[in-house]
Amino acid sequence: MKYLNTLSRIFKSRELRKKILFTALIFFIFRLFAHVPVPGVDIVALKHLFASSQLLSLLDIFSGGTLANFSVMSLGLNPYINASIIIQLLQLVFPKLEELAKEGEAGREKINQYTRYLAVPLTVMQAFGMYILLKNSQIITTVTPLTLLSMIATMTAGTIFLMWLGELISEKGIGNGISMVIFAGIVGRFPVSIAQTASVFDPSQIRNVFIFVAMALLVIVSIVFVTEAKRPIPVNYSRRSLASPKDSSNYIPLRVNQAGVIPIIFAVSLILLPTTFARFFEQSPNVFIANLAQNIQRLFKPDDYLYNITYFLLVVVFTYFYTTVAFNTKQLSEMLMKQGGFIPGIRPGTATKKYLDFISFRITLFGAIFLGLIAILPSIGQKLTGIQTLIIGGTGLLIIVSVVLETAKQIESQLVTKDYDSFLKRR
């Protein structure tokens, strides 16, 4: 009954209703363009290639099915994500970029603009690389320079258009635009994945299906638990007020998983690079290069130990990296000192920063290990159940649940704001 009442309040709010309908419209446009293929490609042969490769299937999942269709949005948001990684790494190298990131909304807007600029050449490079991949796989046989140019231009325009759709959601819709687009792509793949599982279902594997469902439910519950888990750090303020003669108290809610799904998205973009580049050179006339490319593909198969260990470590590293960028303990300790706040038993300033670093390191360690296990869960589940479609399980569920939770919080916040506005108007 509570949920029905919440839904009723959502659709009674004209502004919230418009945002939800606008987001749904963007989703429809995205899924429509996801089935508009780039001309000059044998789609049947392409889908057969993707079905025979776990690596390409994983790429297709993160593109929302646009890659197997070789649609105008076939590269998805991968170039934009790679550009974001590069820009964030450059902030550690160039102090001017770091200062720009601290300049509030205006600085963040400039950083986003630089990210968009960098995404364009990266998209062109990945589009050309995709052409080489398809040519080596005999999907594309003869292409004229004009056809190649139009193919690269079409794929680049599709990625830029997808970036624009994501920004429209952030500006006029509900939730974070980029996350919502990735969410829509993964959800759009679920019916296809379920149909594939049903088509090859063997009644003798009913036990494995129950294990699959139990693992999925366990993952969902654990994701909700870890996402919502917080470590409150008490903060006292020595300034007295007439309303409260005693020292006022507050808390810093330090989240266990402060990085969200960003580390996994970053790690996926990097872990796929060696094998992706290796596929470009597997047909090289140079024997040494061809053998090297084949060895790299063999070592970095999604079900191989080296792939999963590297994937796990990348997720852990990116979790710490992103948490360090998002949770600036030095800036927080300085702000507390200026406002007259202090953590009980800890001196303000440098001691507060060291304490926050210590607490953040321990909490992030748990969150990083959890994200790493979620990332490699598909390989674990596939070995236990033999169900290949479980490859979308861990990471896909993490993104879906995290986006749903964040969007629900944003909707709830807007409903509370609307209630306050209505109360003030009545007064």
Side-chain angles (χ1 to χ4, degrees):
M1 198 68 183
K2 178 182 177 182
Y3 298 106
L4 293 176
N5 184 40
T6 303
L7 287 174
S8 176
R9 290 173 60 200
I10 289 173
F11 283 96
K12 283 181 180 178
S13 171
R14 183 172 178 271
E15 182 181 357
L16 201 53
R17 186 170 64 249
K18 284 176 61 178
K19 288 185 176 183
I20 293 176
L21 292 176
F22 181 81
T23 304
L25 175 63
I26 297 297
F27 283 173
F28 174 77
I29 295 173
F30 167 51
R31 297 311 301 168
L32 181 65
F33 276 88
H35 292 85
V36 178
V38 176
V41 178
D42 187 349
I43 302 299
V44 177
L46 184 66
K47 288 187 175 181
H48 178 72
L49 173 65
F50 274 74
S52 62
S53 172
Q54 289 183 330
L55 171 68
L56 294 177
S57 297
L58 184 60
L59 276 172
D60 184 47
I61 288 166
F62 275 89
S63 68
T66 60
L67 200 53
N69 297 325
F70 206 66
S71 75
V72 294
M73 295 179 175
S74 55
L75 295 180
L77 290 168
N78 286 331
Y80 180 81
I81 293 170
N82 292 333
S84 300
I85 297 173
I86 294 172
I87 291 295
Q88 291 196 18
L89 290 175
L90 289 178
Q91 290 180 26
L92 303 177
V93 179
F94 298 101
K96 287 187 177 180
L97 278 177
E98 185 179 1
E99 292 174 4
L100 191 63
K102 295 178 181 179
E103 291 181 1
E105 189 64 31
R108 284 193 295 270
E109 182 57 36
K110 287 185 179 180
I111 292 291
N112 290 336
Q113 193 66 22
Y114 294 154
T115 305
R116 297 186 199 106
Y117 290 151
L118 181 59
V120 175
L122 289 179
T123 306
V124 173
M125 292 171 58
Q126 291 191 27
F128 182 74
M130 185 58 62
Y131 159 74
I132 299 296
L133 172 62
L134 296 181
K135 185 178 179 181
N136 290 340
S137 303
Q138 304 299 320
I139 303 298
I140 298 178
T141 53
T142 57
V143 175
T144 63
L146 182 60
T147 306
L148 175 60
L149 183 62
S150 64
M151 182 184 296
I152 293 175
T154 301
M155 296 171 69
T156 303
T159 295
I160 295 173
F161 180 62
L162 189 57
M163 289 164 49
W164 180 62
L165 291 180
E167 291 178 0
L168 282 179
I169 293 177
S170 297
E171 182 180 350
K172 299 181 180 180
I174 288 290
N176 178 276
I178 302 300
S179 299
M180 293 294 279
V181 169
I182 297 174
F183 164 83
I186 295 175
V187 170
R189 286 291 296 166
F190 270 138
V192 177
S193 181
I194 293 173
Q196 289 175 348
T197 304
S199 64
V200 297
F201 176 72
D202 184 358
S204 63
Q205 292 186 339
I206 189 67
R207 174 175 169 273
N208 292 340
V209 173
F210 279 119
I211 294 176
F212 170 81
V213 174
M215 288 182 65
L217 293 175
L218 180 63
V219 168
I220 292 174
V221 172
S222 62
I223 289 172
V224 173
F225 176 77
V226 174
T227 302
E228 296 297 307
K230 296 183 178 70
R231 162 68 154 87
I233 299 178
V235 177
N236 292 343
Y237 290 90
S238 57
R239 296 177 181 176
R240 299 172 182 270
S241 63
L242 295 176
S244 178
K246 296 183 179 181
D247 290 354
S248 56
S249 300
N250 209 333
Y251 292 91
I252 300 173
L254 200 59
R255 296 175 60 181
V256 173
N257 180 21
Q258 298 187 70
V261 300
I262 301 298
I264 288 185
I265 295 174
F266 283 4
V268 166
S269 300
L270 287 186
I271 193 64
L272 296 178
L273 283 180
T275 314
T276 304
F277 278 112
R279 290 189 69 91
F280 298 156
F281 300 101
E282 64 180 350
Q283 302 295 332
S284 173
N286 189 307
V287 178
F288 174 76
I289 294 178
N291 290 335
L292 179 62
Q294 292 172 6
N295 288 332
I296 291 175
Q297 290 188 69
R298 179 177 53 82
L299 290 173
F300 279 88
K301 286 183 179 179
D303 57 350
D304 191 81
Y305 289 107
L306 179 61
Y307 173 91
N308 286 284
I309 292 173
T310 306
Y311 192 10
F312 178 86
L313 293 177
L314 280 175
V315 171
V316 172
V317 170
F318 273 119
T319 303
Y320 273 102
F321 169 73
Y322 193 82
T323 302
T324 302
V325 173
F327 184 64
N328 192 325
T329 56
K330 181 180 179 181
Q331 186 177 0
L332 180 60
S333 61
E334 291 176 353
M335 184 184 67
L336 285 175
M337 190 164 55
K338 289 178 182 178
Q339 294 178 352
F342 62 94
I343 299 173
I346 307 296
R347 290 180 177 271
T350 305
T352 298
K353 177 185 178 303
K354 290 182 178 180
Y355 178 77
L356 291 174
D357 285 335
F358 174 70
I359 297 296
S360 177
F361 180 86
R362 291 198 305 174
I363 293 177
T364 304
L365 179 62
F366 178 80
I369 293 175
F370 171 77
L371 289 179
L373 291 176
I374 289 293
I376 63 174
L377 180 65
S379 296
I380 299 173
Q382 187 175 340
K383 290 183 182 299
L384 290 176
T385 64
I387 301 176
Q388 186 172 347
T389 53
L390 190 63
I391 196 168
I392 65 173
T395 304
L397 286 176
L398 175 65
I399 294 175
I400 289 172
V401 174
S402 299
V403 171
V404 168
L405 289 175
E406 290 299 322
T407 306
K409 288 179 182 178
Q410 186 174 345
I411 292 175
E412 184 179 356
S413 175
Q414 295 194 24
L415 286 175
V416 171
T417 303
K418 184 177 179 296
D419 290 341
Y420 278 132
D421 290 342
S422 301
F423 175 75
L424 292 175
K425 287 179 181 178
R426 286 198 300 267
R427 291 177 61 89

